[in-house]
DNA sequence: CCAGCAAGTAAACATATGTTGACTTCCCGG
DNA sequence: CCGGGAAGTCAACATATGTTTACTTGCTGG
């Protein structure tokens, strides 16, 4: 929508080309993925145009169709990456360190954009297939989180635990969005240290260590 | 995007016209507002077309421009309505009943759509002006919530409280979206009673009654 | 060194979408 | 009963957007 100057991916001063190989399909693919993740997380799926993404990545629009079939395919690739990242966090983290892990994700506002990846999971898509993938990512993540606190599939009375895990996940994502996409102050300027305390309170309240 | 049959706003059986006056600007305006709120909340701003909204409301597209100037104007009207609703809740509610009030909002999945109005505040817009309004709504709501727990503007050391109020708000909205828009199970099927316990834990953990 | 092929580009296309202006239909006060 | 104005409709327009096709560029293996 807004027309920013494209990010050239290399320094635009004519001096040093910063070793970006000029023809490298893998790197170009990754540039597109990174640009897309940021745009989708910030503006949502429908509001992001493929030309925006291509300009950010500094490559030609047609390459999106070539490497990802379509805009929808690119979005799916972004969702998968975010899902892997999120599951890595809620998975191989000791149960009592989960709040810190979540806090770290939310606090990271850098271009790397772990927070962006979280936002990606809440922003609207208006696309049925993308919604399905997103739901799958969230289900698996919440089950992993619940399992860390003693949930076992089908076990009677532990449905409560899964519900609470999903609420904790929702809370974390909600904070991430208000912080990184909507930029609500003072939440947006809070440091990781500012966040980790309240987040610990929040997670512990929903999922008491068993 | 998907082509549903239009909701005729009156029974389509020829028998009884259900007393919908045939020309009533105020009612038509309201029909548009209701249809827009639902669409915007479910699909997001950019993914919703004015033709979708008009069809849902059973009126002509051109009336959107007439009554709300533009699609953006209609979205603003929806945001204002949601903001009023939310502020009514976080405002004139005794501090210790806030979790129940939030729970009631989140639990309401009906077409009336209080939950929709919450979702509206997180779904992406890709529109600068709408984002500004949304931010304003969220700021005022979180300040009202924080004030109920003892926050006073500018008071030293109470910034923490505002931060925590914003996180509580974010958590509530996150739950509303995962529940009503993304339809994550079992969160989506949970009853109001299922939600109020965890929500009370959540709000109390973030904002201890002072 | 150079043929061939992958990587990248540019332009065009078909369509969807927000908005507008001219036109028609209905209601109501005189 | 009727004329005027409000409420509603229709069709067109300008533009933005996803995708494709034909083309150019540069690298590399033989």
């Amino acid at each position: 929508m807004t027309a920013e100057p494209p990010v050239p991916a290399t320094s635009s001063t004519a001096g040093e080309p910063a070793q970006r190989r000029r023809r490298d399909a893998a790197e170009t693919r990754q540039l597109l993925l990174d640009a897309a993740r940021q745009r989708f997380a910030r503006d949502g799926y429908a509001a992001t145009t493929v030309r925006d993404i291509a300009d950010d990545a500094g490559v030609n629009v047609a390459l999106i169709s070539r490497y990802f079939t379509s805009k929808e395919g690119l979005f799916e690739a972004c969702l998968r990456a975010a899902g892997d990242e999120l599951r890595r966090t809620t998975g191989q983290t000791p149960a009592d360190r989960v709040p810190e892990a979540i806090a770290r994700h939310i606090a990271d506002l850098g271009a790397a954009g772990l927070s962006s990846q979280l936002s990606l999971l809440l922003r609207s898509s208006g696309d049925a297939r993308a919604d399905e993938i997103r739901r799958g990512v969230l289900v698996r993540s919440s089950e992993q989180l619940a399992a860390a606190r003693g949930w076992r599939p089908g076990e009677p009375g532990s449905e409560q635990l899964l519900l609470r895990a999903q609420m904790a996940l929702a809370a974390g994502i909600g904070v991430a969005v208000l912080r990184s996409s909507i930029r609500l102050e003072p939440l947006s300027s809070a440091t990781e240290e500012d966040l980790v305390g309240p987040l610990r309170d929040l997670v512990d309240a929903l999922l008491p260590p068993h």
Side-chain angles (χ1 to χ4, degrees), chain A:
Chain A
M1 288 304 164
T2 56
E4 284 115 308
V7 174
T10 66
S11 140
S12 55
T13 62
E16 53 288 327
Q19 112 240 23
R20 155 110 161 95
R21 277 205 303 281
R22 289 203 299 200
R23 294 195 159 203
D24 184 331
E27 182 179 347
T28 298
R29 219 187 110 97
Q30 191 59 47
L31 282 174
L32 281 172
L33 262 178
D34 291 343
R37 174 163 36 80
Q38 281 189 250
R39 280 278 182 183
F40 285 145
R42 189 156 58 84
D43 302 334
Y45 178 81
T48 299
T49 74
V50 290
R51 286 175 174 84
D52 287 339
I53 298 170
D55 287 354
D56 285 355
V59 307
N60 190 277
V61 206
L63 295 184
I64 289 178
S65 294
R66 182 195 289 258
Y67 291 139
F68 300 96
T69 309
S70 64
K71 180 190 182 185
E72 188 180 351
L74 177 54
F75 187 60
E76 286 185 25
C78 289
L79 276 183
R80 283 185 213 286
D84 292 348
E85 183 66 32
L86 186 57
R87 247 172 297 124
R88 248 195 305 281
T89 301
T90 59
Q92 53 188 47
T93 298
D96 60 324
R97 307 274 312 270
V98 166
E100 282 90 342
I102 294 181
R104 224 178 312 122
H105 271 70
I106 292 173
D108 180 2
L109 288 176
L114 291 185
S115 186
S116 294
Q117 299 193 353
L118 270 174
S119 297
L120 208 54
L121 294 172
L122 259 214
R123 304 297 261 177
S124 52
S125 72
D127 180 291
R129 174 139 181 66
D131 283 349
E132 197 46 54
I133 295 176
R134 166 162 45 198
R135 203 168 2 239
V137 167
L138 290 170
V139 165
R140 283 193 296 276
S141 295
S142 63
E143 288 180 348
Q144 228 160 1
L145 183 57
R149 300 289 169 131
W151 173 78
R152 295 295 172 271
E155 196 167 290
S158 84
E159 196 77 341
Q160 266 300 321
L161 236 120
L162 182 58
L163 185 70
R164 282 171 168 263
Q166 294 191 343
M167 291 178 69
L169 196 60
I173 297 178
V175 171
V177 173
L178 253 56
R179 177 173 156 83
S180 74
S181 296
I182 301 196
R183 313 208 87 86
L184 182 69
E185 291 298 347
L187 182 59
S188 196
S189 306
T191 66
E192 184 172 331
E193 286 95 69
D194 294 333
L195 292 178
V196 67
L199 277 176
R200 167 174 281 284
D201 291 346
L202 189 156
V203 175
D204 284 347
L206 283 176
L207 297 168
H210 71 294

